[in-house]
């Protein structure tokens, strides 16, 4: 059995690719304005577009309203959503 690894708080495509090179199976994108690791929708879309096949993109939302989540999902091809709060 293999452990899957997610690296969260990715803010640049080059960091996503470095995480993948070092074995990450998934990358996490933070959609929480108060976080220093927060990414814009446009930046997140660019990061996800840079990922190779079979690497999952996870969106992290903290106490987000449905309209905020829907706005992200319209532009960013996430594989999973992670909720906090």
């Amino acid at each position: 059995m293999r452990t899957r690894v997610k690296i969260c708080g990715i803010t640049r495509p080059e960091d996503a690719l470095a995480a993948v090179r070092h074995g990450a199976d998934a990358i996490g994108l933070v959609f929480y304005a108060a976080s220093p690791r927060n990414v814009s929708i446009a930046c997140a879309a660019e990061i996800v577009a840079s990922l190779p096949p079979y690497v999952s993109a996870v969106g992290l939302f903290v106490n987000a309203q449905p309209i905020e989540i829907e706005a992200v999902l319209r532009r960013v091809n996430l594989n999973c959503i992670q909720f906090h709060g």
Side-chain angles (χ1 to χ4, degrees), residues 17-79:
L17 295 176
V20 171
R21 276 194 309 276
H22 292 290
D25 300 292
I27 58 103
L29 302 165
V30 177
F31 296 99
Y32 179 54
S35 171
R37 296 287 182 184
N38 180 54
V39 291
S40 68
I41 292 173
C43 181
E46 181 182 355
I47 293 168
V48 172
S50 76
L51 294 175
Y54 308 111
V55 175
S56 298
V58 179
L60 170 66
F61 296 88
V62 178
N63 297 323
Q65 296 298 312
I67 194 165
E68 298 171 68
I69 299 165
E70 291 166 358
V72 171
L73 293 176
R74 278 194 292 277
R75 297 209 21 225
V76 183
N77 189 22
L78 297 176
N79 301 104

